[in-house]
């Protein structure tokens, strides 16, 4: 037997709140159910690989971990850190990953082999919070708490430039220039300034522009065409015109706590910001207006958008959680996920039904990287193989333990039906209508009653549901009609209901209570007032059409008069010229 098709509740749109293109674009993403995973520490940085695979880099605690955007399974792990890791980021070709750390060492890893290729110790123990590859893939820009910005050469593993006079406080944000200008970079600091630096200039002239944000800067961005720059810190997100000499274009204050991170969408049509107020704000890049707000259970430390078409939003939080919201609402977790940390139980529990019965180990996924800086540090990954957990099943023939090759059938449970759906299933139209009124009153959702009226009309059971009612139930229906019949969404259906009510019941006699008669009189006045309002609108429309027609005709007459006068003048001129 097939399952009963439940009643579909359509949420009507308020007349003054029509959906915009931004609401339609971001609505599926903001309302989708999130997939949440737990890491070992606060997720301070999320970066997306610019390659076709769109790998997700998660920086937390003493590791940088790479996840698949489709299955959210662990792909790579980099453990070569003695202390907290920061700012794990991809190179533009996706082949290298760099990250700073609290001990001041900047490390570069090969993505495929997971080996450490380079490490730079010039920051001498000061935490390095920001690391970025240059767009031409040959340099690394770093910013540290030692108040310096440094440039390292990947080929020679040497420091090329040290900018120690640019900032007077911690450097916490960097963004490189485009591929056409790989020597440019923007740096933001806790000294409340952002600097545009050209590494090719001499030591006194390498700061091209200076921007005063007014608060400690946590994040900086630059458009791909290098026309605008964005600073974030405190309660403000500020937009600067680079081509206009550093002019301030907009100062946005839509967060009520400090902004910690920013980002672009895949096409840079929108700007994203997240902060301590647990909100992610999405701005239109052309008008700088907030078009969507997404709320999370904790402060937002990092965010990134997975392309193309902005199909997923990744957000990192202080408690070790990171959340993925998908545009299509699909949530996929690999059955062979190698993360040994349990999924989140505080925000939204992620459960894999296949792994509830069989959890198999995958020792090839977590391979620690050996280098001289980590010889005395034990990896948190288990050195031995994990024991395979299994659950014994009891059958009449004995005890059977499933193996990895057995297929497990999921239980196909029927959904729980609402009371009005149960009555509809039994073709009890009158009881279904009473149950819908009770549910709508409890949930404050009158659209439940509207949907049931539509369904009963489709089944040709509306007359059956309205007939034979007592005074109390009839009063509920009449008052519902009086309240909602003037609504543009409800009107087509409720007109049919009102017509049937007037046909089935005679309110002119004393057979009904005074409350019913008064409610019916009020319904008649509401309908009369709505008809008068529609009549006045039609009159106004006619007057406006007459005015527009008269205006267009007068414009045509003036144009014809000008044409005649011009023709007459030309004829006179021709006559004078011919006489001469």
């Amino acid at each position: 037997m097939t399952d009963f098709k439940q009643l579909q509740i359509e949420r009507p749109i308020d007349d003054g709140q029509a959906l915009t293109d931004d609401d339609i674009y971001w609505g599926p993403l903001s309302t989708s159910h999130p997939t949440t995973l737990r890491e070992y520490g606060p997720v301070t940085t999320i970066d997306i690989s610019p390659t076709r695979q769109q790998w997700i880099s998660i920086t937390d605690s003493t590791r940088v971990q790479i996840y698949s955007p489709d299955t959210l399974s662990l792909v790579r792990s980099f453990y070569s850190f003695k202390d907290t890791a920061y700012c794990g980021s991809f190179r533009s070709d996706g082949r290298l990953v760099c990250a700073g750390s609290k001990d001041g060492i900047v490390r570069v890893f090969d993505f495929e082999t997971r080996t450490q290729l380079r490490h730079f110790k010039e920051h001498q123990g000061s935490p390095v919070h920001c690391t970025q590859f240059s767009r031409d893939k040959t340099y690394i820009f770093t910013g540290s708490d030692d108040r310096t910005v440094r440039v390292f050469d990947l080929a020679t593993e040497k420091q090329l430039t040290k900018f120690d006079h640019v900032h007077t406080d911690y450097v916490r944000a960097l963004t490189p220039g485009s591929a056409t200008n790989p020597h440019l970079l923007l740096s933001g600091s806790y000294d409340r300034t952002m600097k545009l630096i050209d590494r090719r200039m001499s030591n006194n002239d390498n700061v091209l522009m200076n921007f005063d944000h007014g608060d400690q800067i946590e994040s900086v961005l630059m458009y791909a065409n290098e026309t605008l720059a964005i600073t974030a810190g405190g309660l403000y997100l500020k937009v600067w015109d680079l081509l206009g000499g550093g002019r301030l274009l907009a100062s946005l204050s839509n967060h009520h706590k400090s902004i910690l991170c920013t980002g672009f969408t895949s096409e840079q049509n929108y700007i994203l910001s997240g902060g301590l107020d647990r909100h992610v704000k999405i701005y239109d890049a052309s008008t700088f207006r907030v078009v969507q707000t997404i709320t999370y259970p904790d402060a937002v430390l990092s965010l990134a958008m997975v392309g193309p078409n902005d199909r997923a939003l990744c957000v990192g939080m202080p408690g070790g959680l990171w959340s993925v919201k998908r545009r299509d609402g699909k949530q996929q977790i690999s059955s062979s996920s190698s993360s040994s940390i349990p999924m989140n139980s505080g925000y939204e529990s992620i459960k894999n039904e296949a792994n509830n019965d069989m959890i198999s180990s995958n020792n090839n996924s977590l391979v620690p990287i050996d280098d001289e800086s980590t010889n005395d540090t034990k990896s948190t990954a288990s050195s031995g193989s994990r024991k395979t957990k299994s659950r014994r099943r009891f059958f009449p023939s004995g005890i059977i333990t499933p193996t990895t090759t057995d297929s497990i059938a999921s239980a196909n449970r029927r959904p729980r039906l609402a009371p009005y759906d149960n009555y509809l299933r039994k073709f009890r139209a009158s009881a279904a209508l009473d149950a819908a009124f009770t549910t709508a009153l409890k949930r404050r959702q009158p659209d439940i009653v509207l949907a049931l009226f539509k369904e009963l009309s489709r089944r040709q059971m509306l007359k059956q549901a309205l007939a034979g009612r007592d005074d109390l139930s009839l009063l509920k229906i009449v008052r519902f009609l009086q309240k909602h019949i003037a609504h543009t969404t409800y009107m087509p259906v409720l007109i049919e209901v009102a017509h049937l009510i007037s046909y089935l019941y005679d309110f002119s006699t004393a057979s009904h209570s005074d409350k019913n008669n008064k409610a019916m009189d009020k319904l008649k006045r509401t309908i009369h007032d709505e008809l008068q309002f529609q009549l006045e609108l039609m009159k106004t429309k006619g007057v406006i059409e007459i005015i527009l027609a008269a205006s267009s005709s007068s414009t045509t007459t003036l144009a014809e008069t000008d044409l005649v006068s011009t023709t007459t003048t030309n004829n006179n001129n021709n006559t004078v010229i011919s006489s001469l």
Side-chain angles (χ1 to χ4, degrees):
M1 181 183 294
T2 58
D3 292 336
F4 177 78
K5 185 178 180 181
Q6 301 182 41
L7 188 66
Q8 299 296 322
I9 309 299
E10 298 179 1
R11 308 298 180 188
I13 302 172
D14 293 339
D15 297 339
Q17 298 180 356
L19 290 178
T20 63
D21 294 338
D22 295 323
D23 295 331
I24 296 173
Y25 185 76
W26 291 107
L29 185 67
S30 61
T31 58
S32 66
H33 189 75
T35 301
T36 309
L37 289 85
R38 182 181 292 278
E39 296 296 341
Y40 297 87
V43 181
T44 56
T45 306
I46 299 179
D47 189 42
I48 308 298
S49 173
T51 59
R52 181 179 60 86
Q53 290 82 4
Q54 296 282 300
W55 304 118
I56 304 173
S57 169
I58 303 295
T59 306
D60 68 282
S61 185
T62 59
R63 70 204 69 227
V64 177
Q65 305 195 101
I66 313 298
Y67 286 86
S68 167
D70 298 321
T71 62
L72 296 185
S73 59
L74 190 62
V75 178
R76 297 283 189 278
S77 294
F78 304 104
Y79 291 94
S80 301
F81 300 93
K82 286 185 177 181
D83 213 327
T84 306
Y86 298 113
C87 197
S89 56
F90 289 97
R91 199 169 69 171
S92 58
D93 57 1
R95 298 177 60 183
L96 299 181
V97 178
C98 69
S101 62
K102 193 174 181 179
D103 57 11
I105 300 177
V106 179
R107 295 174 171 85
V108 181
F109 303 94
D110 183 270
F111 179 78
E112 294 297 334
T113 62
R114 293 175 289 188
T115 57
Q116 180 174 304
L117 301 179
R118 298 284 188 269
H119 64 280
F120 305 96
K121 301 180 179 179
E122 280 74 10
H123 284 286
Q124 299 177 353
S126 297
V128 180
H129 281 268
C130 39
T131 59
Q132 296 288 341
F133 286 100
S134 63
R135 301 301 181 187
D136 60 357
K137 302 179 286 189
T138 56
Y139 308 109
I140 291 182
F141 302 124
T142 63
S144 171
D145 286 357
D146 61 4
R147 307 176 186 180
T148 64
V149 177
R150 301 173 190 254
V151 183
F152 297 98
D153 185 19
L154 277 173
T156 62
E157 199 175 359
K158 293 182 179 180
Q159 176 179 298
L160 297 180
T161 312
K162 174 184 176 182
F163 303 104
D164 53 0
H165 65 287
V166 176
H167 293 289
T168 60
D169 208 334
Y170 299 157
V171 180
R172 290 298 175 89
L174 282 179
T175 185
S178 65
T180 57
N181 293 312
H183 302 287
L184 295 180
L185 72 149
L186 286 173
S187 63
S189 170
Y190 277 5
D191 62 4
R192 305 183 178 186
T193 63
M194 178 181 68
K195 305 293 178 69
L196 178 62
I197 304 172
D198 188 346
R199 78 165 197 87
R200 299 168 297 180
M201 306 294 288
S202 62
N203 197 32
N204 297 326
D205 301 328
N206 46 32
V207 178
L208 303 181
M209 291 185 183
N210 186 9
F211 307 87
D212 185 7
H213 179 75
D215 211 326
Q216 294 178 344
I217 297 178
E218 298 284 354
S219 178
V220 296
L221 294 175
M222 182 163 54
Y223 279 80
N225 54 10
E226 297 179 341
T227 57
L228 300 178
I230 297 172
T231 57
L235 300 179
Y236 293 94
L237 185 79
K238 296 188 178 182
V239 184
W240 308 88
D241 185 5
L242 297 180
L243 296 182
R247 179 171 56 96
L248 179 63
L249 292 181
S251 180
L252 312 175
S253 179
N254 299 101
H255 290 267
H256 58 271
K257 288 186 179 180
S258 296
I259 303 173
L260 300 180
C261 54
T262 56
F264 284 121
T265 56
S266 55
E267 299 296 332
Q268 295 191 346
N269 296 327
Y270 296 91
I271 307 168
L272 294 85
S273 65
L276 290 175
D277 57 359
R278 304 184 296 121
H279 294 317
V280 170
K281 303 284 185 178
I282 302 176
Y283 308 83
D284 189 330
S286 58
T287 62
F288 306 116
R289 180 178 58 88
V290 176
V291 298
Q292 192 66 247
T293 299
I294 305 176
T295 305
Y296 286 88
D298 205 347
V300 178
L301 293 184
S302 55
L303 57 83
M305 185 67 71
V306 180
N309 300 325
D310 307 325
R311 59 191 175 110
L313 173 62
C314 303
V315 169
M317 289 167 273
L321 304 180
W322 65 285
S323 170
V324 180
K325 277 179 169 285
R326 300 180 186 274
R327 183 173 297 278
D328 55 4
K330 296 179 181 178
Q331 303 165 23
Q332 301 173 353
I333 299 293
S334 174
S335 59
S336 61
S337 178
S338 54
S339 178
S340 60
I341 298 299
M343 298 303 176
N344 170 38
S345 58
Y347 181 28
E348 288 293 344
S349 179
I350 311 297
K351 296 182 179 179
N352 190 332
E353 296 181 358
N355 283 344
N356 286 341
D357 296 321
M358 296 180 297
I359 301 176
S360 59
S361 63
N362 186 356
N363 297 326
N364 295 329
S365 297
L366 297 179
V367 179
I369 303 172
D370 297 328
D371 66 305
E372 58 185 11
S373 64
T374 58
N375 288 335
D376 57 344
T377 304
K378 294 183 179 180
S379 172
T380 57
S382 176
S383 58
S385 61
R386 300 172 186 167
K387 295 182 179 180
T388 302
K389 299 180 180 179
S390 63
R391 181 175 298 174
R392 295 185 298 176
R393 303 292 180 93
F394 292 87
F395 292 94
S397 59
I399 300 175
I400 298 178
T401 302
T403 62
T404 56
T405 59
D406 294 338
S407 59
I408 300 176
S410 59
N412 186 16
R413 297 180 180 178
R414 292 183 178 178
R416 185 177 180 181
L417 298 179
Y420 47 83
D421 282 325
N422 275 321
Y423 288 122
L424 277 179
R425 186 179 182 182
K426 300 174 183 179
F427 300 98
R428 297 175 59 183
S430 181
L433 186 57
D434 291 336
F437 269 101
T438 303
T439 307
L441 183 62
K442 184 184 298 184
R443 299 182 183 177
R444 297 182 180 180
Q445 295 177 354
D447 43 315
I448 296 177
V449 178
L450 177 67
L452 186 61
F453 277 142
K454 288 183 178 180
E455 181 64 18
L456 292 174
S457 177
R458 186 187 68 82
R459 296 188 181 193
Q460 298 181 357
M461 298 172 61
L462 188 57
K463 184 177 179 180
Q464 175 187 345
L466 296 175
R469 292 190 164 270
D470 57 5
D471 289 341
L472 183 59
S473 61
L474 183 61
L475 180 62
K476 291 181 180 179
I477 298 175
V478 175
R479 285 181 174 175
F480 183 85
L481 293 175
Q482 188 272 327
K483 184 176 181 180
H484 298 286
I485 198 169
H487 197 286
T488 54
T489 306
Y490 291 74
M491 188 180 296
V493 180
L494 297 189
I495 287 177
E496 181 184 0
V497 177
H499 177 71
L500 283 175
I501 290 289
S502 62
Y503 173 76
L504 294 172
Y505 301 95
D506 186 8
F507 292 91
S508 61
T509 62
S511 59
H512 298 282
S513 64
D514 292 338
K515 290 184 178 180
N516 288 62
N517 294 331
K518 291 180 180 179
M520 195 63 186
D521 292 339
K522 195 172 183 180
L523 175 60
K524 291 179 180 178
R525 290 196 300 270
T526 302
I527 295 175
H528 179 268
D529 294 342
E530 182 66 22
L531 291 175
Q532 291 295 325
F533 178 70
Q534 295 288 343
L535 182 61
E536 293 296 329
L537 284 180
M538 294 302 295
K539 291 181 179 179
T540 305
K541 179 182 177 182
V543 172
I544 293 175
E545 288 178 351
I546 293 174
I547 294 173
L548 293 177
S551 175
S552 61
S553 63
S554 62
T555 304
T556 304
T557 304
L558 289 175
E560 292 177 352
T561 303
D562 292 341
L563 180 60
V564 171
S565 61
T566 303
T567 304
T568 304
T569 303
N570 291 337
N571 292 336
N572 293 334
N573 291 337
N574 293 335
T575 303
V576 172
I577 292 173
S578 62
S579 62
L580 291 175

